[in-house]
Amino acid sequence: MTIKAKKRLVIVLSIVLVLIIGVFAGVNLYADSLLNRMGRTDAFNNDDVYSYESNRNVDNIALLGIDADEGSGARSDVMKIISLDFDNGKIKISSIQRDNIVYQPLMDRYEKLNHAYWRSGVQGTLSSINYNFDLDVTQYVLFDFDSVEEIVDILGGVDIELSASEAGYLGLGGAGTYHLDGAQTLSFSRIRSVDSDYERMSRQNRVIDALISSLKDRSPIDLLNIVDDVLPYIETNLSNGAIKSYVTRLLGFDLSNIEQYQFPKDGYESQLTSLTLYGYSPQYVLKDFSGEVESLHRFIYGEDDDYTASERVLKVEEDILDLAGY
């Protein structure tokens, strides 16, 4: 190759490289401009939220749904742990019952879990989750219930299979699959009078599944427009870099098989009794608090996880039983 040809090749390669960098930078800037539409808060250090150290390749992120409909302040009525298992390429969702009595370290007292947000905000909620369940959650995504209605309407509604009692509650026909608008979906996610609060958690999971399903066949342009419309309703302390890293790594995950779990695992059968504390009820005492925490760890980290309840979890269990007179 002549010197002149080599110079031309260098010029061509340089142009191609500049174009690649430019495209990447442009996409990166556009992604940042989208993500910056979310509400942002500062990151928590481990000590800020009583994080329990884990050596497993799993990232746990709290999904919090805030409801101010009870008249005396917002509570975290939806509390889910989204676990990203990078070793096995799985997403797992653990739904935490809101009325379990736990120790709230920022308040230094025992009270139902969903009051942690009311008393001490997101930091109080993450602190209580980590302290009582030996978890390492420092990242969160938060929405309020009113935004569910807006998000579903942005998507054009969602398809959800309803039982006869659920359909009747919503003023619809018999059992079957219905295309629900935002107001109907919000009402559906709040139902608990027809069965129990544990079924309510299951309905919230079904809404999440329906939202994911509604996005599967959208074009890239549609998805970008939806993201642009939805993000202002979300608050998080995840950085743009962390979100983009998760999106890239999740491309290899099996998104059609999201595993789900509830704490406690047997619902009302796991409860020993219910108390009234600080004028609020029900507040549930579990039969086997430490055993439930160990079961939660096996779900999140796998059946081969050798975790056993820590001294602080055992102390929480003992204190709650004493509080209930056992």
Side-chain angles (χ1 to χ4, degrees):
M1 184 180 292
T2 65
I3 293 176
K4 191 173 183 179
K6 288 181 179 179
K7 287 182 177 179
R8 287 176 179 169
L9 179 60
V10 169
I11 292 171
V12 170
L13 290 175
S14 298
I15 292 172
V16 170
L17 181 60
V18 168
L19 287 174
I20 291 173
I21 293 172
V23 169
F24 177 79
V27 170
N28 201 43
L29 287 171
Y30 179 66
D32 282 337
S33 71
L34 282 179
L35 296 175
N36 287 338
R37 291 173 61 78
M38 288 189 290
R40 273 285 163 55
T41 60
D42 294 334
F44 292 115
N45 295 319
N46 289 335
D47 291 343
D48 293 335
V49 289
Y50 293 84
S51 178
Y52 184 85
E53 186 175 348
S54 170
N55 59 2
R56 302 301 290 264
N57 192 22
V58 175
D59 282 9
N60 292 311
I61 302 167
L63 176 65
L64 306 177
I66 306 305
D67 194 353
D69 193 41
E70 297 180 49
S72 58
R75 294 160 169 80
S76 52
D77 277 359
V78 174
M79 285 171 285
K80 300 181 185 295
I81 308 301
I82 312 299
S83 301
L84 309 179
D85 182 346
F86 294 105
D87 286 338
N88 298 297
K90 292 182 178 180
I91 296 178
K92 302 177 182 181
I93 300 177
S94 306
S95 300
I96 310 298
Q97 220 289 338
R98 64 180 189 161
D99 291 323
N100 292 316
I101 297 174
V102 298
Y103 178 65
Q104 298 189 16
L106 297 192
M107 295 296 296
D108 189 26
R109 73 182 189 185
Y110 286 86
E111 195 172 358
K112 64 163 67 181
L113 180 55
N114 78 328
H115 280 193
Y117 184 86
W118 178 32
R119 309 291 191 191
S120 310
V122 172
Q123 185 177 359
T125 301
L126 300 190
S127 295
S128 297
I129 288 172
N130 290 333
Y131 192 99
N132 291 272
F133 307 136
D134 280 349
L135 291 176
D136 58 353
V137 185
T138 61
Q139 302 178 122
Y140 76 95
V141 176
L142 179 147
F143 65 94
D144 64 55
F145 271 100
D146 290 338
S147 70
V148 171
E149 183 172 343
E150 301 292 337
I151 290 169
V152 171
D153 285 337
I154 287 169
L155 292 172
V158 292
D159 294 324
I160 298 179
E161 186 176 351
L162 305 180
S163 67
S165 58
E166 290 168 342
Y169 182 91
L170 296 177
L172 302 173
T177 299
Y178 291 85
H179 190 73
L180 304 183
D181 63 20
Q184 291 170 320
T185 303
L186 177 60
S187 181
F188 169 77
S189 70
R190 282 175 163 160
I191 295 173
R192 65 170 175 258
S193 60
V194 302
D195 37 49
S196 73
D197 208 37
Y198 290 97
E199 290 301 318
R200 183 177 187 249
M201 289 195 300
S202 175
R203 278 186 276 274
Q204 292 162 0
N205 288 341
R206 286 156 62 190
V207 169
I208 291 173
D209 289 342
L211 290 170
I212 293 172
S213 294
S214 73
L215 295 172
K216 284 181 178 177
D217 298 323
R218 306 284 183 134
S219 71
I221 297 299
D222 278 347
L223 287 174
L224 286 174
N225 289 333
I226 289 168
V227 169
D228 189 47
D229 289 337
V230 166
L231 287 183
Y233 295 99
I234 306 297
E235 175 188 299
T236 186
N237 67 346
L238 285 162
S239 68
N240 288 356
I243 294 171
K244 288 182 284 189
S245 175
Y246 282 140
V247 169
T248 301
R249 299 174 73 183
L250 288 176
L251 293 176
F253 276 47
D254 180 8
L255 300 180
S256 66
N257 184 28
I258 297 176
E259 299 179 22
Q260 302 201 23
Y261 184 83
Q262 70 172 17
F263 180 98
K265 64 181 184 298
D266 294 322
Y268 284 118
E269 294 301 315
S270 297
Q271 293 172 200
L272 177 62
T273 189
S274 174
L275 303 179
T276 297
L277 295 174
Y278 307 108
Y280 294 96
S281 64
Q283 302 202 39
Y284 298 136
V285 176
L286 300 184
K287 295 175 183 176
D288 182 15
F289 187 89
S290 59
E292 295 285 355
V293 173
E294 289 172 355
S295 296
L296 176 63
H297 274 250
R298 285 193 293 274
F299 170 74
I300 292 175
Y301 298 109
E303 287 297 328
D304 62 338
D305 187 62
D306 59 0
Y307 166 83
T308 57
S310 69
E311 288 298 321
R312 75 183 187 187
V313 168
L314 294 174
K315 178 67 164 54
V316 165
E317 180 175 48
E318 180 183 356
D319 287 349
I320 293 174
L321 289 174
D322 285 345
L323 192 64
Y326 288 88

